[in-house]
Amino acid sequence: MKDNFSKNSADYAAFRPEYPAAVYPYIFSFCNDKTAAWDCGTGNGQVAKVLAENFTTVVATDISANQIENAVTKDNLHYSIQPAEQTDFDAASFDLITVAQAIHWFDFEAFYAEVRRTSKKEGVLAVLGYGVFSMEGDTNAILQHFYKDIIGPYWDAERKYIDDNYTTIPFPFEDLNTRTFENTYSWSIEDLVGYLSTWSAVQHYKTKNGKDPVALLFDDLQKTWGPNPKKKANFPILLRIAKINQ
């Protein structure tokens, strides 16, 4: 698994979008029990914290110590630095395994073997993500140009799985029927810039060129922003769910 997020883990915790509240009870409705859950590639723990409010015990793993240092804490939430593909968890441990906006970085075959090993009989795997977002008004055209043409060459190859809305990830399980979710934010220009700064392609651009592409974009964003201090940002939610070890 690649680690593209340790350097800006504080920004990641501050600016990354959350998942809509309705997605969680929908996922939980597939679970037979709520005793134990594992959140893989937990990052700042944004999913793990919700799991901890609904499951007796939650473990959350990431390969980035910096991400975990900035993660949410709960009494029944236990973090460890481990790759999702090889953990020290006991077999048949979890009622639910989640991976949010991270599976495209994993070694699929090794990860799915670990899912099968650690899942209880009829445990649930929920793969979440958020697709390429859009903003209202003329600002969206500026952002699409930025995404595709300015930093497009700097995305890792795995980003294509996001562009394909996770429909092309290897998924060796029977998909359960899933609803469609989306999340809408009211963002200031500072919120938008903060989010863009968390993108791995932006970090790669900065490393290669010695300058921040988001800063170069700022004037164009201001010109299209208009009189209102906030604009709507819409994120399509990616979701695949399966029962494991049936």
Side-chain angles (χ1 to χ4, degrees):
M1 178 180 175
K2 294 180 180 178
D3 181 6
N4 282 331
F5 306 104
S6 286
K7 290 182 180 179
N8 60 332
S9 54
D11 285 345
Y12 193 95
F15 294 110
R16 279 283 170 153
E18 301 275 350
Y19 295 94
V23 79
Y24 293 104
Y26 180 69
I27 292 171
F28 302 157
S29 72
F30 292 93
C31 298
N32 294 336
D33 198 1
K34 295 182 183 177
T35 301
W38 168 28
D39 185 41
C40 319
T42 193
N44 59 24
Q46 64 176 202
V47 170
K49 70 180 180 182
V50 180
L51 299 185
E53 294 165 359
N54 292 273
F55 284 73
T56 305
T57 301
V58 176
V59 296
T61 59
D62 204 285
I63 61 171
S64 169
N66 287 339
Q67 284 279 20
I68 288 178
E69 286 175 7
N70 286 278
V72 178
T73 58
K74 298 272 187 183
D75 289 343
N76 62 331
L77 172 53
H78 309 285
Y79 292 99
S80 60
I81 302 170
Q82 305 187 69
E85 299 90 341
Q86 185 176 7
T87 69
D88 60 11
F89 302 132
D90 291 338
S93 290
F94 303 115
D95 304 290
L96 173 65
I97 298 172
T98 57
V99 52
Q101 201 69 4
I103 196 169
H104 51 288
W105 303 116
F106 291 179
D107 177 322
F108 292 108
E109 185 175 353
F111 172 63
Y112 289 137
E114 192 68 349
V115 167
R116 291 187 179 96
R117 186 186 72 82
T118 60
S119 175
K120 293 181 181 178
K121 182 176 176 60
E122 294 196 341
V124 172
L125 170 66
V127 176
L128 300 95
Y130 35 85
V132 180
F133 79 116
S134 59
M135 302 253 346
E136 62 178 318
D138 294 338
T139 301
N140 194 58
I142 299 294
L143 291 172
Q144 294 304 312
H145 172 65
F146 179 72
Y147 180 83
K148 296 176 181 177
D149 302 320
I150 304 301
I151 63 169
Y154 297 89
W155 286 112
D156 294 86
E158 293 89 343
R159 180 70 187 186
K160 188 177 186 302
Y161 291 120
I162 297 288
D163 292 336
D164 293 340
N165 294 322
Y166 275 174
T167 60
T168 57
I169 62 169
F171 200 71
F173 310 108
E174 181 181 353
D175 263 305
L176 300 178
N177 185 38
T178 57
R179 285 175 47 192
T180 299
F181 295 88
E182 63 179 19
N183 218 1
T184 300
Y185 289 88
S186 182
W187 271 359
S188 68
I189 195 169
E190 290 78 17
D191 294 327
L192 172 60
V193 166
Y195 171 60
L196 296 178
S197 297
T198 68
W199 282 357
S200 58
V202 168
Q203 302 305 314
H204 294 331
Y205 184 106
K206 289 166 68 174
T207 299
K208 181 72 178 293
N209 299 291
K211 52 188 175 182
D212 183 356
V214 179
L216 300 176
L217 183 71
F218 194 78
D219 286 346
D220 288 337
L221 291 176
Q222 284 187 313
K223 290 175 184 177
T224 63
W225 200 260
N228 295 326
K230 299 287 184 86
K231 277 184 174 289
K232 289 182 180 178
N234 186 71
F235 286 83
I237 301 302
L238 318 181
L239 181 61
R240 300 187 73 172
I241 301 175
K243 287 268 191 178
I244 310 300
N245 296 334
Q246 296 187 56

